[in-house]
Amino acid sequence: MQPLVERLRDRRWRLTAQRRVIAEVLAGEHVHLAADEVFDRARAILPEVSLATVYNTLHELVDMGELLEVAHVDGRKRYDPNVEHPHHHLLCVDCGRMLDVHVDDPRLPDGEQHGFELLGVDVTFRARCPDCVGRVAVAALDRV
């Protein structure tokens, strides 16, 4: 996966210091940060970055197709820089950890499209991660 900063340079997008820091914060394979998390991490690197700049940059990157906006169990939108490879998400319903998963897209039968033009599929598998499964098991044992 080509890093977001490189993709933005290839597009000749104006990379101010603030935009560059925001893009760098979003680097990585399994990054799914909410806007406030992007802001906190960006501000730790560049204290003068503003929350408004983070929101504006995130919205612009989504509009450009450089970020995916993903619904999360906590109700906040998460931002995913992995736009080059179609994928779905695996979400821990307890701790909120979210990972990319690469599986075949589910198919919607022609009879179930109701005349809609299908543009894409977003699947989120809800589960418990190994850490949370262990915590649930320990908590159950403590109650015994």
Side-chain angles (χ1 to χ4, degrees):
M1 179 171 87
Q2 186 181 20
L4 179 58
V5 173
E6 288 180 27
R7 296 194 320 255
L8 296 173
R9 280 192 187 115
D10 290 349
R11 281 179 171 254
R12 300 188 190 283
W13 193 56
R14 198 173 132 237
L15 271 173
T16 63
Q18 294 167 334
R19 286 176 165 182
R20 185 177 54 255
V21 165
I22 292 165
E24 288 170 354
V25 163
L26 290 162
E29 184 176 346
H30 292 291
V31 175
H32 302 91
L33 299 175
D36 61 323
E37 294 169 321
V38 172
F39 174 65
D40 290 343
R41 291 181 185 195
R43 196 155 195 195
I45 300 166
L46 187 68
E48 59 268 22
V49 71
S50 71
L51 185 57
T53 298
V54 169
Y55 275 108
N56 291 338
T57 302
L58 292 173
H59 291 292
E60 194 170 345
L61 292 172
V62 169
D63 288 346
M64 290 168 58
E66 291 295 345
L67 287 180
L68 299 174
E69 202 172 62
V70 182
H72 194 273
V73 72
D74 66 6
R76 298 183 305 166
K77 295 175 185 172
R78 302 294 173 126
Y79 297 92
D80 181 352
N82 183 2
V83 297
E84 295 178 313
H85 304 289
H87 64 281
H88 301 295
H89 295 97
L90 180 61
L91 171 66
C92 178
V93 298
D94 290 340
C95 71
R97 182 176 174 201
M98 184 179 271
L99 299 174
D100 294 347
V101 291
H102 302 275
V103 296
D104 292 334
D105 284 338
R107 302 291 172 209
L108 184 61
D110 290 338
E112 293 295 320
Q113 290 184 15
H114 304 283
F116 283 65
E117 177 188 4
L118 189 61
L119 301 175
V121 179
D122 297 313
V123 174
T124 300
F125 298 94
R126 288 169 182 76
R128 276 198 181 97
C129 71
D131 292 340
C132 290
V133 167
R135 278 193 286 276
V136 169
V138 168
L141 287 175
D142 287 344
R143 281 184 255 137
V144 175

